[in-house]
Amino acid sequence: QVQLVESGGGLVQAGDSLRVSCTVSGLVFRQYAMAWFRTAPGKEREGVGCISASGGDIVYADSVKGRFTISRDNAQKTLFLQMNSLQPDDTAMYYCAALVGDGDSTDNMAARAEYGYWGQGTQVTVSS
């Protein structure tokens, strides 16, 4: 049984930092590209970024570039999202996803996530 479990969300103030994690079991983690998505009330789901299976290729949404960092520890089967300089607009439920397809590719993360595996999400709230 595949499980993705996010943790580390919480309530922070604007300008603060926060790291959320996603622990994966039930699949060969090192073979999967992984991604972070977020959903805010009244907004469409947004892809935050994607990391290839080896960690050698990482892409970010323009809205978080320079503030957020995605990393992974394949030995610990864990995906991370380090969020710095948080703003109220970053308030959302954050989800990790294991992407189907070529693990070395970060292309088409949204489409590949639709057929992949998802966690239950962790809430991040940024107060002004």
Side-chain angles (χ1 to χ4, degrees):
Q1 180 182 358
V2 177
Q3 285 191 314
L4 287 73
V5 180
E6 298 95 336
S7 61
L11 173 63
V12 297
Q13 293 186 330
D16 285 352
S17 297
L18 194 66
R19 188 176 82 159
V20 295
S21 302
C22 170
T23 302
V24 180
S25 60
L27 55 76
V28 184
F29 181 71
R30 67 181 184 274
Q31 293 182 350
Y32 283 78
M34 299 292 296
W36 287 100
F37 293 85
R38 65 185 182 183
T39 304
K43 296 184 179 180
E44 293 187 357
R45 186 174 67 195
E46 178 185 20
V48 174
C50 178
I51 183 169
S52 64
S54 68
D57 188 18
I58 309 173
V59 295
Y60 298 96
D62 287 343
S63 58
V64 305
K65 201 172 295 183
R67 299 188 299 124
F68 288 13
T69 301
I70 297 173
S71 61
R72 64 190 295 160
D73 183 334
N74 284 348
Q76 298 298 320
K77 301 181 182 180
T78 304
L79 176 73
F80 302 101
L81 177 65
Q82 175 68 44
M83 301 179 284
N84 298 331
S85 301
L86 282 161
Q87 298 301 316
D89 281 350
D90 296 316
T91 295
M93 186 73 80
Y94 284 74
Y95 300 89
C96 63
L99 309 185
V100 298
D102 183 1
D104 291 328
S105 172
T106 54
D107 294 339
N108 301 317
M109 56 181 282
R112 293 166 61 196
E114 289 298 323
Y115 296 95
Y117 303 95
W118 290 79
Q120 83 291 345
T122 187
Q123 178 68 37
V124 173
T125 302
V126 185
S127 64
S128 58

